[in-house]
Amino acid sequence: MTHSGILCAIVASVVFCTQAVAAPPATQDILRRSLVRIETVSQDPDYNVPWNTGSIGRGVGAGFVIKGNRIMTNAHVVSNARMIWITRYGDPNRYPATVKHVAHDCDLAILEPADPKFFDRMTPLEIGGIPEIESTVMAYGYPIGGDRPSVTRGIVSRIDFQEYSHSGADMHLVIQIDAAINPGNSGGPVMQDGKVVGVAFQGYSGDVAQNTGYMIPTPVIERFLADIEDGKYDHYVDLALSYFPLYNKAARAALGLEDDGIGVMVGDVFGRGASDGIVQRGDVIVAIDGHPVASDGSVELDDSYVEMAELVERKLKGDSVDLDVIRDGKPLKLTIPLSEPFPFNLYAFSYDVQPRFVLFGGLLFQPLDQNFRSSTRIFNFRTNYYFDHFIADAVYKERPELVILSNILSDPVNTYATEFRQAIVDTINGEKMRNLNDVAAAFEKPAEYYVIEFLGASRPLVLEAGAVAAARDRIRTRYGVTKESNLEQ
Amino acid sequence: MTRHLLAALVAFPAAALFAQDAPPVEPVPASAETIAESLPVADSVVRVNSTNQPWQHSRPWTKRPPYSRRGIGVVIEGGRVLVTAELVANHSYVELERAGSSEKVAADVVHIDYASNLALLVPQDPKFLDGTRPVSLAEGVHVGSRLNVIQLENTGAAALTPAVVTTVTVAPYPGDEAVLLSYRLSVPMQYRDNSFTLPVFLGDRLAGLLMRYDTRSQSADLVPDAVIRNFLARVAKEPYQGFARAGLMFAPTRDPQFRRYLGMNGKSGVYVVSVTHGGAAEKAGLKKGDVILQVENFDIDEDGYYNDPVLGKIPFSHLVSTANLPGGSLKMRVLREGNEIDLALPLEPRDPATVISSPSITDEPPRYYILGGLVLQELSRSYLREWGGDWRSSAPPRLVYLDEFQDELPADRGRIVFISQVLPADTTVGYDGLATIVVEKINGREIKSLEDVAEAVKSPDGRFHKIELESDPGVIFLDAKQVEETADDLQRAYGLPALSNLDKAAP
């Protein structure tokens, strides 16, 4: 899917690390004993023709050995992979490997070679801390697909909270470095003082910004490793609320606050999220886990000011967050169990899944999600609006999934359906369609007519059951349809 | 998009409908343009120069820079000059000029109707029209009629370009407001002065006013005699009423599966998609799902056309809007749940009070209310058009949505009041990013107009104005006393002529 713009970097150890306490591994050792070259054959699904098997592509990325005989790399290196081979320096063999754990929301994965002997000559790398701004780091990897490893050196330019482009919907801590990071660096270690301080993962194309590469910092790596300790990955948890800074004196006074620069107001609480039913719109959050929350939403953490969300994102499923809030002028202590990830994933790219669809009378129905949207331009204003405002307008309450008439395989049975293309299905035979399974079930039910109402459409689309049945084989043959539905999540 | 609108809204850009399906064009005689000084029509037209200055809806207290438009008006009885409304929209000064002389005189716009794109001018000196010949309106224009488009030479002589009527249909008029009868002409013409009105004659009678000319396809669209006749008849009657509107949307029934489902049994007609709140169709008892079979005993085909004895096949909205005047009713036969029933569709214009976001062009100063530094406005199409020709994709999506689908809002929604911008001030610290967000309540009072705002701020919630918003952050507060005390400073700092304009738009 969209691996463009994702660059991987590997960090070579600092050559003159005079201050190192223990003797760090030399560059040659890292390259020979810890760095791994990952070759993949991937198959990306085809959202335009969802029964097709999709296009096959090849890719090269990097990885490194960590303790427990595991290989760490980026999720995007191994997403949609059909075959994965890993190779090590000075060994001509390609070792088949499989994905043990993958976290698409933070772009990390753990691979396991089929043959444990792969680790015989290998040394695991240790995970370090957050490097200082301006300190030197080295990136190791296989940029531009070369067979031999590469090392680049740079400094830490900025520590930031930023979007992870692999999912396109998650924000986490990132560290920006000015070491050259290019496609093929992905998954490689970025090192300082002999320890991993990041995993190279994304960058900008040269016409946007130069000398900016990004690595996944160690708090994110450590969180991922902690999450999978129980054998499965649970995703990030989230408060699922929005907040509004409280700089305005009148607003502060009206909410019963001192003019002390503390507190943010809750703007929205998203249904089905962790805070739903506990926090209310208009609550003022004054502290989180005992840390005072400044009126711009920042908290002081480890000697630096970070966004409130960063504190939450270090937590795991099953943890909880304590909030001190002021509601209707009165202080209140709230505890929010972090049992749920962010409730909406329609804005995130998904991987390792086949497109879900239902084909009926030559009409193709698909859920509207980021994967679909990135493969097809949507020109229907209402459909775009519902997608973009899915959370803001609480569309999810009525429709957990937006199902649209995505395409039409032209046939006499659907000659007059073109005006409904890309419209959102509202009801079928009077029943509200909440997701694709509802659509599939509605078409399963025997009926004389299937009356499909679309949101904002001028009239219902009516299909005669007899006409649909008569068209079925004709459509399958004419368009080479190998499968008429896929409902697997 | 096959949605046909008889109500106020048009969902496609004005020119789009015309762009499709141009029928084959008859060749026009080779001597396309002739100087015809001797023709009487030269005595019936005057040049019109208009200096226009529209309001800037995104900064509702200011006007845009002035610009000039030129056109040719037609002298009609009563010492009046007929032009398109577009020519004189937002006029600051209008001047008439006799063809062939340098005599100029200022004129007043005595009537303007943006829906039908027509306006009437009267010279301030009535003697100015002495010696002109008022024209009467043509009759019986049909597809294939040969007309002449009039332009003026510098000498004042009329330049005639022959034209052929290729299509008679109803089409969106400039400004999106109405869908009315229109003639399309094939006319290979040297288009002069980017004129905003050119008269078109059938012999020595007026067949219409040219409102659009496409130089590439050499085709032109006319406001036809029927629309002009209807306009003049309504102008003659006090109080002035707009065109009658059916107030419904319908869909074609071309799909045979759909026709069988509706039980149409070989009959033809169109499917009623929705009826406008408080509109004529609702008063007639029309319902979503009805099938309109006949209007005034004319059979309606599956696309909504009937066979007019003169004009040929045209959409039935012509019967509602232009063939008849407001008052009285039309007989409608509809199919409902297998039964045919007769209804009376009252002929009446849309009640402006039922319009949530006005699609009309207007030359009224925009209404606004400034509270602290919050600029509050009522949603209108004029405001959204500030985003330019592609406002549907570039204007704030929530506001476009509310405008575009306003017929789906509750009947008692009232106007949509929103914060259009925040003028940074002491009162609005921290609210800078809140542009284009809809206001629901102020101090507990539901906001359905700017009058509601003015009323609500009279009773603050304690020391504060509590402003509840439709979306994130949900609520903001202003210090009521501070708002009052800093009002003059705010007005001075931003050079505002006034902190509010609550004048009602003219009906």
Side-chain angles (χ1 to χ4, degrees), chain A residues 242 244 247-248 250-251 253-255 265-268 281 381-382 385-386 389 393 413 416 419 449 451 453 456-464 467, chain B residues 2-3 251-252 254-258 260-261 271 273 288 392 397-398 400-401 405 408 427-431 464 469 471-475 477-479:
Chain A
S242 71
F244 185 70
Y247 308 126
N248 190 280
L255 292 165
M265 184 178 71
V266 174
D268 210 350
R281 173 184 260 200
F381 173 75
R382 192 188 297 257
Y385 179 86
Y386 269 71
H389 293 73
D393 286 4
V413 74
Y416 295 93
E419 66 180 284
Y449 292 102
V451 182
E453 295 266 11
S458 56
R459 64 175 177 99
L461 171 59
V462 176
L463 295 176
E464 288 167 326
Chain B
T2 49
R3 179 179 259 229
R254 257 169 274 163
D255 183 348
Q257 294 181 86
F258 187 48
R260 286 193 287 272
Y261 168 71
Y271 176 84
V273 174
K288 175 184 160 104
R392 280 188 173 81
R398 178 66 186 158
V400 175
Y401 183 89
F405 306 126
E408 299 167 19
T427 47
T428 55
V429 171
Y431 299 156
F464 308 102
L469 306 169
S471 49
D472 221 346
V475 63
F477 299 90
L478 297 175
D479 185 318

Side-chain angles (χ1 to χ4, degrees), chain B residues 212-503:
Chain B
R212 270 191 290 257
Y213 182 64
D214 179 5
T215 50
R216 194 174 45 83
S217 65
Q218 301 197 319
S219 60
D221 300 323
L222 295 198
V223 185
D225 50 273
V227 172
I228 297 170
R229 190 174 287 115
N230 190 296
F231 167 69
L232 294 175
R234 286 180 294 109
V235 166
K237 229 175 109 187
E238 286 292 332
Y240 178 77
Q241 285 190 299
F243 286 92
R245 306 279 175 87
L248 63 84
M249 286 194 272
F250 66 82
T253 59
R254 257 169 274 163
D255 183 348
Q257 294 181 86
F258 187 48
R259 284 205 300 272
R260 286 193 287 272
Y261 168 71
L262 293 171
M264 289 173 69
N265 292 327
K267 291 208 159 55
S268 73
V270 289
Y271 176 84
V272 175
V273 174
S274 67
V275 295
T276 310
H277 303 303
E282 191 183 80
K283 289 178 185 167
L286 269 165
K287 291 196 169 87
K288 175 184 160 104
D290 287 350
V291 179
I292 300 172
L293 303 173
Q294 284 186 347
V295 178
E296 288 290 276
N297 298 322
F298 288 114
D299 287 332
I300 304 301
D301 77 6
E302 54 200 21
D303 289 320
Y305 287 63
Y306 76 100
N307 215 342
D308 187 275
V310 177
L311 300 170
K313 270 208 155 195
I314 54 167
F316 79 85
S317 68
H318 171 61
L319 292 171
V320 181
S321 295
T322 37
N324 293 288
L325 291 171
S329 63
L330 292 185
K331 200 174 120 191
M332 243 184 196
R333 173 158 297 178
V334 305
L335 179 69
R336 180 180 298 167
E337 288 158 8
N339 303 314
E340 288 185 24
I341 52 175
D342 287 329
L343 300 171
L345 181 78
L347 289 169
E348 54 179 52
R350 184 159 191 195
D351 176 1
T354 64
V355 179
I356 293 175
S357 169
S358 171
S360 323
I361 298 176
T362 172
D363 42 22
E364 300 292 328
R367 287 153 52 84
Y368 65 94
Y369 191 99
I370 298 178
L371 181 65
L374 308 179
V375 181
L376 302 170
Q377 288 182 255
E378 288 168 350
L379 181 61
S380 68
R381 189 78 51 86
S382 301
Y383 175 80
L384 296 172
R385 282 203 196 93
E386 294 282 353
W387 269 266
D390 64 342
W391 61 269
R392 280 188 173 81
S393 54
S394 53
R398 178 66 186 158
L399 297 184
V400 175
Y401 183 89
L402 289 169
D403 173 83
E404 194 93 341
F405 306 126
Q406 56 182 299
D407 285 347
E408 299 167 19
L409 297 172
D412 63 347
R413 173 61 183 80
R415 298 283 171 90
I416 289 153
V417 174
F418 64 102
I419 298 173
S420 61
Q421 59 181 307
V422 178
L423 303 174
D426 286 347
T427 47
T428 55
V429 171
Y431 299 156
D432 299 355
L434 291 180
T436 67
I437 188 164
V438 176
V439 174
E440 286 188 333
K441 285 181 182 177
I442 294 180
N443 297 330
R445 183 190 177 103
E446 273 193 72
I447 299 301
K448 296 180 173 185
S449 68
L450 287 176
E451 282 75 15
D452 286 343
V453 174
E455 205 51 42
V457 299
K458 286 180 187 162
S459 33
D461 191 29
R463 284 168 45 209
F464 308 102
H465 293 307
K466 182 182 185 187
I467 299 156
E468 291 175 70
L469 306 169
E470 180 189 61
S471 49
D472 221 346
V475 63
I476 57 174
F477 299 90
L478 297 175
D479 185 318
K481 205 169 143 211
Q482 191 188 19
V483 166
E484 209 182 314
E485 286 171 358
T486 59
D488 289 346
D489 291 345
L490 183 77
Q491 192 175 348
R492 210 173 308 118
Y494 287 97
L496 306 170
L499 286 173
S500 70
N501 171 33
L502 297 182
D503 292 341

Side-chain angles (χ1 to χ4, degrees), chain A residues 43-62:
Chain A
Q43 197 170 25
D44 291 337
D46 182 349
Y47 278 79
N48 290 313
V49 190
W51 50 85
N52 277 359
T53 48
S55 58
I56 294 171
R58 286 172 173 273
V60 171

